[in-house]
Amino acid sequence: MTFLQINDVHKRYGEHDVLRGVSLDVAKHEVVCLIGASGSGKSTLLRCINALEPIQQGEIRVDGDVVSGQGVDVNRLRRNVGMVFQSYNLFPHMTVLRNVTLAPVKIGGKSTAAAEEQGLALLDRVGMKDKAGAYPDALSGGQQQRVAIVRALASSPQVLLLDEITAALDPELVGDVLAIVRELAQDGLTMLLATHEMGFAREVASQVCFLHQGRILERGTPAQIFEDPQEDRTRQFLSRVLVAGRL
Amino acid sequence: MSAPVTSRTRTAAEVSATPTPPQPVLPTAALALLIGVLCALAAALALRSLHSMLGNPPAAVDAGLVALGAVALLPLVPAGRAFGSARSRSRLLAEGRLAGARHEAASGREHAHTAMGYALAVLLCAALVWFATANDGAISTTFLRWEFLQSSFANVLKAFWINVEVAVGAQVLVLVVGLLVAVMRLLPGRAGRPLRWLAIAYVDTFRAIPSIIVLYLVGFGLKLAQVPLVKDLSPVWLAIIALTLTYSSYVAEVYRAGIESIHPSQWAASRSLGLSYGMTLRTVIVPQAVRRIVPPLLNDFIGLQKDTALIGVMGVTDAFTQARLTASNVFNLTPVIVVAVLFVIITIPQARYVDRLLGKQQSRTGRTT
Ligand SMILES: Nc1ncnc2c1ncn2[C@@H]1O[C@H](COP(=O)(O)OP(=O)(O)OP(=O)(O)O)[C@@H](O)[C@H]1O
Ligand SMILES: [Mg+2]
């Protein structure tokens, strides 16, 4: 069953067409990887799905409800759609635990005690329980990103958007974070992730989309995209990535 | 990376072929000594002038003056050290120990510069003492006389409480009003536009008008116009309102700068968690902004405190008005100096408090900034 429906979405910044008719269906429990060159619009697409950016044309539906356009309760939408950013974006003036429990308490209407119990359980899962009282500045990048994932999960979203969550990490920290995403995929969480980690995309994705100049140029299973790409552009992109040693 | 490689490939002959001799120290040392002696002489003159002004001071005061004279000689110590370094430098250079000679030259210059710096400070102090004691002390007695200080202190201090009252009252109101105006100015979208414009108009107007004029207009205008509610307020409250009007416009800008300095990714993170615009502002943005605005806020608060000396124009007898009255009675400015000192005394602890606050923050957040 289609859970996330993206229909002919156009996004412009002034004169600049960033998304030029993107359509994409994501079923429940699917993991969709967005790949493509820098500037192809991956982050923009994710931000549009989370209504952080208005779109000029087209329609985005989550679980059947239209979430794009005027008069939509974006705050309700965002309870169902979690997002993790490349630069973690933790709140520096709050402890790790407070970062995690903020939304469940303020939005989800949970009691502080219940939210903290759940938050600690989630932190434990990613090996960050002993840092619950620390401030984000005292954590490494990998640790911050793990907390950011937990923060997004704490509101029990139906779908998680991950925007190049390992791009800012030292190589030896990437593994920790990817392991968590892999586990979430195995648990059946619906995810849409922009990534430059092709090896990882090949491993976890049920569907891979290649974005080029604001369009989805090619899509398919990892096997189709990585082993038998149909489009020249896709081949070029993948061979460049191969040269860069990312596959 | 390439530097050590090239230096290793240089042969010993090449190195010794172009020796840079250490710079001479003796002229600098001599200059330092000269300046030190001249400044000490100036200090002696100033102290003699002070001594003659005091008439026939008790022995303890004499001893104090002698001690001050000794302090004025202190710059000669590093000057002497500079000469010592100069001698060692020549000796080492003669022995061919270039590195040691360079080291001595550097520390010799350092000593000489220290001597000059201290000597100039002595000179400035001497000039001040001389100025205050010149004309047989006419200047210092105009500004500071013990008996007037005694007689006026209680009155001025009492009146100073009005300044403190007005300052604290206005500061509390300014914190609230300034934030409201800043938030108004940052309201998003088309719906927020009229309020945005109002906020901009307010800030532009009240930042431009001198606070003494606002005080005057509020103090007399509101009464004259028989404005309901306001016309029955005490002058102290009117002063608080006037200063709040002026300073909220500054502080609104301080808040706004603080809020806008928070990276947009913090907005995105908070909104993506489902927090509304207002909630994001309240729980994520403003708490972070407040930490950054404390120093500029203190500046504005000190400005506000100082402007309480202007409330005399609306008929409130504050410390400065009181001091001026007393001063014109006794033809002496001591009471006014008392007010000035009181302002300094209340300002310094605030500055230190903010320093401590910032220090604590830095040690907590560790790596930031
Ligand atoms: N706020 C903005 N204003 C104007 N242009 C923008 C803005 N955000 C993004 N763009 C433009 O949109 C295009 C797509 O950006 P986007 O961040 O989506 O790329 P991306 O595929 O995520 O690239 P990367 O792999 O480098 O993250 C770029 O050309 C960028 O310059
Ligand atoms: Mg991106």
Side-chain angles (χ1 to χ4, degrees):
Chain A
M1 184 210 111
T2 310
F3 180 70
L4 177 67
Q5 239 178 322
I6 300 165
N7 245 326
D8 192 32
V9 165
H10 287 254
K11 166 76 195 168
R12 260 186 301 277
Y13 286 114
E15 295 284 276
H16 182 27
D17 278 326
V18 178
L19 297 180
R20 303 188 294 173
V22 173
S23 299
L24 176 65
D25 288 347
V26 181
K28 258 209 142 88
H29 312 304
E30 247 199 302
V31 177
V32 177
C33 284
L34 302 172
I35 61 170
S38 190
S40 55
K42 304 183 293 292
S43 303
T44 307
L45 180 59
L46 294 179
R47 291 174 66 89
C48 288
I49 295 171
N50 205 8
L52 289 171
E53 304 282 352
I55 60 176
Q56 274 79 39
Q57 194 185 317
E59 193 183 69
I60 297 173
R61 284 170 184 268
V62 175
D63 210 4
D65 290 336
V66 179
V67 298
S68 53
Q70 302 266 304
V72 174
D73 183 357
V74 289
N75 296 326
R76 226 199 52 198
L77 149 76
R78 288 174 183 143
R79 262 168 257 174
N80 289 327
V81 182
M83 182 148 182
V84 186
F85 302 85
Q86 176 175 332
S87 47
Y88 339 129
N89 302 3
L90 294 177
F91 306 131
H93 59 303
M94 300 179 183
T95 62
V96 163
L97 190 58
R98 199 65 223 298
N99 264 281
V100 172
T101 56
L102 182 69
V105 171
K106 297 261 175 199
I107 310 296
K110 279 200 178 155
S111 71
T112 310
E116 286 187 352
E117 192 182 335
Q118 180 216 13
L120 284 172
L122 282 169
L123 285 171
D124 197 22
R125 219 178 120 183
V126 301
M128 292 293 298
K129 192 177 178 186
D130 52 329
K131 297 283 188 186
Y135 283 89
D137 289 327
L139 303 182
S140 76
Q143 292 172 325
Q144 290 193 48
Q145 193 58 290
R146 281 185 269 164
V147 172
I149 293 173
V150 166
R151 180 174 68 175
L153 289 176
S155 325
S156 319
Q158 310 259 17
V159 52
L160 198 58
L161 310 174
L162 306 151
D163 186 6
E164 287 181 44
I165 56 169
T166 57
L169 296 181
D170 291 338
E172 70 265 33
L173 299 175
V174 170
D176 291 351
V177 172
L178 291 186
I180 292 162
V181 178
R182 189 177 294 129
E183 214 173 292
L184 292 173
Q186 277 156 9
D187 290 354
L189 184 64
T190 315
M191 285 188 283
L192 190 55
L193 49 108
T195 187
H196 286 298
E197 301 283 339
M198 298 304 154
F200 182 70
R202 174 185 260 174
E203 177 196 345
V204 298
S206 51
Q207 201 186 150
V208 177
C209 299
F210 173 65
L211 257 80
H212 181 70
Q213 296 182 346
R215 288 205 183 87
I216 295 185
L217 202 64
E218 188 169 2
R219 61 201 288 185
T221 62
Q224 284 169 347
I225 298 289
F226 290 115
E227 272 138 44
D228 187 23
Q230 301 300 308
E231 300 281 339
D232 284 344
R233 297 278 182 196
T234 318
R235 271 196 289 274
Q236 277 169 18
F237 173 73
L238 288 174
S239 66
R240 271 210 307 277
V241 172
L242 195 65
V243 170
R246 298 293 279 265
L247 196 65
Chain B
M1 245 233 246
S2 55
V5 177
T6 51
S7 75
R8 237 184 289 128
T9 53
R10 271 212 266 168
T11 65
E14 275 171 340
V15 171
S16 61
T18 53
T20 34
Q23 287 177 25
V25 178
L26 210 53
T28 325
L31 183 65
L33 187 66
L34 182 69
I35 292 178
V37 169
L38 287 179
C39 291
L41 279 179
L45 282 179
L47 288 175
R48 215 184 63 184
S49 161
L50 178 60
H51 185 262
S52 71
M53 183 195 92
L54 293 173
N56 224 345
V61 174
D62 271 338
L65 291 182
V66 171
L68 282 178
V71 169
L73 291 175
L74 277 182
L76 298 181
V77 175
R81 291 215 180 110
F83 274 105
S85 295
R87 257 209 322 278
S88 316
R89 170 191 168 274
S90 323
R91 184 167 44 77
L92 289 169
L93 199 59
E95 291 171 9
R97 287 160 59 188
L98 212 58
R102 272 204 200 102
H103 177 78
E104 283 299 334
S107 66
R109 275 196 308 279
E110 171 86 31
H111 286 314
H113 289 157
T114 308
M116 289 190 246
Y118 277 68
L120 288 177
V122 166
L123 183 68
L124 285 177
C125 293
L128 211 65
V129 170
W130 182 81
F131 178 73
T133 56
N135 206 358
D136 221 357
I139 290 171
S140 65
T141 47
T142 308
F143 286 109
L144 199 59
R145 255 174 70 185
W146 183 241
E147 69 255 41
F148 294 141
L149 196 138
Q150 269 175 318
S151 64
S152 67
F153 188 76
N155 271 339
V156 170
L157 186 66
K158 213 171 106 209
F160 190 69
W161 273 116
I162 301 210
N163 295 69
V164 173
E165 244 174 69
V166 171
V168 172
Q171 281 165 355
V172 171
L173 285 181
V174 159
L175 277 181
V176 178
V177 178
L179 182 59
L180 288 180
V181 174
V183 169
M184 249 167 86
R185 186 157 184 186
L186 289 169
L187 285 178
R190 204 166 40 171
R193 194 178 296 157
L195 288 176
R196 257 188 337 253
W197 283 352
L198 277 181
I200 292 172
Y202 162 72
V203 169
D204 284 356
T205 314
F206 278 88
R207 257 198 327 186
I209 309 178
S211 44
I212 194 165
I213 295 181
V214 177
L215 281 164
Y216 197 83
L217 292 176
V218 169
F220 296 113
L222 295 182
K223 273 236 164 63
L224 270 181
Q226 291 283 303
V227 182
L229 286 178
V230 180
K231 70 175 197 289
D232 300 323
L233 287 178
S234 71
V236 167
W237 269 107
L238 290 177
I240 290 177
I241 289 174
L243 287 175
T244 303
L245 278 174
T246 300
Y247 277 88
S248 293
S249 63
Y250 291 109
V251 169
E253 288 299 280
V254 169
Y255 273 120
R256 187 169 70 101
I259 289 172
E260 286 182 342
S261 76
I262 304 300
H263 198 270
S265 63
Q266 289 286 310
W267 281 98
S270 175
R271 298 305 303 272
S272 80
L273 286 172
L275 274 69
S276 65
Y277 182 90
M279 235 187 253
T280 299
L281 203 57
R282 239 182 9 256
T283 53
V284 175
I285 305 299
V286 169
Q288 291 184 59
V290 163
R291 286 150 211 252
R292 298 194 188 174
I293 64 171
V294 167
L297 200 59
L298 179 75
N299 267 342
D300 283 343
F301 272 15
I302 291 173
L304 191 158
Q305 275 158 220
K306 294 198 296 189
D307 274 3
T308 60
L310 301 173
I311 61 179
V313 297
M314 54 201 301
V316 183
T317 310
D318 75 312
F320 181 48
T321 315
Q322 178 69 47
R324 259 186 341 198
L325 283 175
T326 321
S328 61
N329 277 340
V330 297
F331 297 109
N332 186 283
L333 291 181
T334 306
V336 181
I337 292 290
V338 171
V339 184
V341 170
L342 286 175
F343 273 109
V344 173
I345 287 175
I346 62 162
T347 304
I348 288 175
Q350 300 175 54
R352 289 297 84 76
Y353 175 71
V354 171
D355 287 348
R356 254 211 15 225
L357 214 65
L358 292 178
K360 225 195 273 172
Q361 254 172 50
Q362 232 154 51
S363 65
R364 183 181 68 60
T365 51
R367 293 197 246 165
T368 45
T369 68

